[in-house]
Amino acid sequence: MATDNTLLLDAKDLGKRYERGGRPFWALRHASLEVAAGDFVTILGRSGSGKSTLLNILVGLLPPTEGGVTLCGRALAGLTDAESSELRNARVGYVPQTAGLIPTLTIEENVRLPWYLAGSRGPEPEGRAKQLLADVGLADLTLQYPNALSGGELRRAAVARALMCSPALIVADEPTSNLDPASARSVVEIFGKLTREGGAVLMVTHDAFSLESSTRIYDMAEGTLTGRVAP
Ligand SMILES: Nc1ncnc2c1ncn2[C@@H]1O[C@H](COP(=O)(O)OP(=O)(O)O)[C@@H](O)[C@H]1O
Ligand SMILES: [Mg+2]
């Protein structure tokens, strides 16, 4: 059992209601989830089942209609936008479903950016961004701009960016989509290594092979999150 000090994410009874055609529509219902150091949690589910809505709420980018999230010991509901942004950049590595790189910065500058957004934390570790880009197979593309990269390369750059601040927790929305099998495996291996070193990973994916690295698996269907019973 996880003790409180290793609990990185604690989400209770989350619900998200959208309006569609003037009618309320629940994209997420009564979702609860805990992620502790060492966990590799995988969420599977069809397109439109509410996975991105859940992840966006967990990292503080979207307010829930119901329920609450405690991220790295901080209740998100009590934070200003600036505080939640700093927490997200400093402690959490978020890989959004769309890579979201800034077009006017090079790939390496994009990867380095979270270090500066995370607030003053001393000099940037020498060569870290280059090393992370090499780890995801993009050593030759560091000086390129995002529009010169393929969809899969952009996703790998987003993974490197998420690792920049040595996060306690990675939250990744389909980080292996558009990747060739070897690159997809290397991303899952990087995440697995992080969990063995005391970090944690929460990932949405369609790739069955990543289940081998998972310590817990959930299915998402029509906004409802259900934990799989261990075989
Ligand atoms: N801003 C929004 N307004 C209304 N409906 C939305 C909004 N964002 C997402 N949805 C709907 O909520 C459901 C869940 O979306 P999403 O969380 O993106 O699913 P997934 O990531 O599993 O594909 C979908 O039916 C989607 O159309
Ligand atoms: Mg999605």
Side-chain angles (χ1 to χ4, degrees):
M1 249 334 253
T3 56
D4 273 356
N5 59 349
T6 59
L7 203 55
L8 296 168
L9 180 68
D10 186 7
K12 286 205 167 56
D13 210 21
L14 294 176
K16 184 66 184 179
R17 188 184 61 224
Y18 290 123
E19 298 291 328
R20 268 214 301 223
R23 294 177 139 201
F25 157 75
W26 288 89
L28 192 64
R29 310 157 199 257
H30 304 294
S32 294
L33 182 69
E34 290 182 1
V35 181
D39 285 347
F40 193 135
V41 179
T42 299
I43 300 176
L44 301 162
R46 292 181 161 190
S47 173
S49 59
K51 306 180 300 296
S52 295
T53 298
L54 172 64
L55 295 199
N56 281 313
I57 291 172
L58 296 178
V59 300
L61 286 170
L62 188 68
T65 310
E66 290 180 345
V69 179
T70 303
L71 183 61
C72 300
R74 312 275 303 271
L76 291 183
L79 302 184
T80 63
D81 281 354
E83 287 168 337
S84 111
S85 162
E86 183 167 344
L87 176 65
R88 193 164 48 246
N89 282 294
R91 304 290 316 277
V92 182
Y94 179 49
V95 184
Q97 190 166 3
T98 50
L101 300 189
I102 295 177
T104 52
L105 297 179
T106 66
I107 297 305
E108 185 180 336
E109 287 165 348
N110 267 285
V111 171
R112 294 166 62 198
L113 191 59
W115 187 268
Y116 297 94
L117 295 177
S120 79
R121 44 185 8 246
E124 185 186 338
E126 176 87 22
R128 177 161 175 81
K130 274 202 174 64
Q131 182 59 53
L132 291 169
L133 282 163
D135 292 347
V136 297
L138 298 179
D140 295 339
L141 298 177
T142 56
L143 298 178
Q144 299 299 317
Y145 287 85
N147 67 4
L149 270 64
S150 72
E153 288 164 345
L154 290 171
R155 299 205 66 69
R156 284 187 275 155
V159 168
R161 180 186 57 183
L163 293 162
M164 182 66 202
C165 293
S166 305
L169 171 68
I170 285 274
V171 177
D173 200 347
E174 304 196 23
T176 56
S177 67
N178 295 326
L179 294 194
D180 60 275
S183 298
R185 280 181 188 276
S186 80
V187 166
V188 172
E189 270 164 30
I190 290 169
F191 288 175
K193 184 162 170 272
L194 187 99
T195 65
R196 289 189 296 277
E197 291 168 353
V201 172
L202 173 62
M203 179 171 96
V204 165
T205 188
H206 296 291
D207 288 320
F209 67 81
S210 67
L211 303 184
E212 297 159 17
S213 304
S214 305
T215 58
R216 239 174 328 135
I217 301 166
Y218 290 85
D219 293 297
M220 177 78 99
E222 293 177 18
T224 301
L225 192 65
T226 312
R228 286 196 188 174
V229 179

